[in-house]
Amino acid sequence: MPLTRPELRLPKMPRGIRAPFKTLGPSSVSSLLKIALDVAYVLLMVITAVLLLVFLASIFIPLANLNITVSNESGGRQQPLTRPLLLFGVGALTAYFGGFLLILRNLRMIFRTLTVGDPFRPENVRRLRQIGLILAIVTGGVWSIQGLVAARLAPGVMDSQGVGELLTPVFSVLVVFVLAEVFKEGARLRRESELTI
């Protein structure tokens, strides 16, 4: 009796109940989301490239007599725009968009495997872990920079973020790491089923 490769079988839906749309494989929701991610990736790449050019140009831009105004509902204050301040602001913004560019790059690779109908690949585990790590770095960076700006640039005008505002981003990072472990388990089960053939 010839051995055949086992197929993953989903439980059958009760009669009369059908999934409203196809989620994996070609011509599915995942392929539509992959196209959206591709478009967002290109746009984010353009934005990051422009910010990088602005960062490089800000090294040479003359800044004589330029001021910035930091304000809130109760007023504000003017402060001279210095080269370190400009480089810090544009550099932080470039790093922020660059981090999300890396996240989208990994998501595109994951969705590429979903459109093929083969999500439980070991490289998807690595990609999800990278997404979680980058998201954690971006979250920590934004939180630190906002605190620094509130303390140094705009004390009394801008408030620093509290620890409570970190709950949602930290929860998101943990969800991504849990999903990575789910994909790791799926890849392990798939490998074991292939070895038992």
Side-chain angles (χ1 to χ4, degrees), residues 7 14-15 24 32 37 56 58 63 71 98 104 110 116 120-121 135 145 147-148 163 167 179 189 194 197:
E7 294 182 12
R15 283 188 172 243
L24 293 176
L32 183 65
L37 284 172
L56 293 173
S58 64
L63 298 176
S71 62
L104 275 182
I110 291 170
V116 173
F120 294 114
R121 293 185 180 178
L135 195 56
I145 287 172
L148 183 68
V163 177
L167 290 178
L179 281 174
L189 290 172
E194 288 173 349
I197 295 174

Side-chain angles (χ1 to χ4, degrees), residues 70-77 146-160:
V70 181
S71 62
N72 64 4
E73 302 85 27
S74 62
R77 69 178 220 205
Q146 188 167 350
L148 183 68
V149 168
R152 299 280 183 173
L153 179 63
V157 178
M158 184 177 176
D159 295 329
S160 60

Side-chain angles (χ1 to χ4, degrees), residues 12 70 82 137 160 168 181 196:
K12 289 188 176 183
V70 181
T82 62
I137 290 170
S160 60
T168 301
E181 293 306 309
T196 57

